[in-house]
Amino acid sequence: MNTIDLEIHGMSCDACVRHVTKALKSINGVSEVTVDLPNGHARVNGMTGLQSAQLTAALDVAGYPARVAGTSVSPSDTNGPKPAAASGRRSGCCG
């Protein structure tokens, strides 16, 4: 079993939690997703070999920029999530 903790931007309501959960569970090998809305985190359990890049890519497509919890921010990410106009989609479900 592999566990990956993610920091997720753009979640603001229960609908966001459902969208994030659905996006993460769509990844082959994910067995359990627990989303912590107040803290903007998700814990994903799945098969050994599950890659964080797969998870963050699925969340990006869903409109929720994410990174592995505890990782440093790259210089290009220091200004926070991209605005909707720059990314081509709005952030989250309520943004």
Side-chain angles (χ1 to χ4, degrees):
M1 183 72 72
N2 192 18
T3 300
I4 299 172
D5 291 316
L6 301 169
E7 295 177 15
I8 304 171
H9 301 281
M11 294 191 303
S12 60
C13 66
D14 290 334
C16 294
V17 171
R18 288 190 299 275
H19 293 157
V20 164
T21 301
K22 182 178 179 180
L24 292 170
K25 284 188 173 183
S26 73
I27 303 298
N28 191 28
V30 170
S31 59
E32 181 181 11
V33 174
T34 305
V35 178
D36 178 357
L37 176 61
N39 293 309
H41 284 254
R43 175 167 282 178
V44 181
N45 293 313
M47 297 178 3
T48 301
L50 185 63
Q51 299 293 314
S52 60
Q54 295 172 293
L55 304 174
T56 57
L59 289 172
D60 188 50
V61 168
Y64 299 90
R67 67 175 185 221
V68 175
T71 58
S72 61
V73 178
S74 69
S76 64
D77 291 336
T78 56
N79 295 325
K82 295 177 186 173
S87 66
R89 62 185 167 281
R90 61 190 180 140
S91 179
C93 73
C94 304

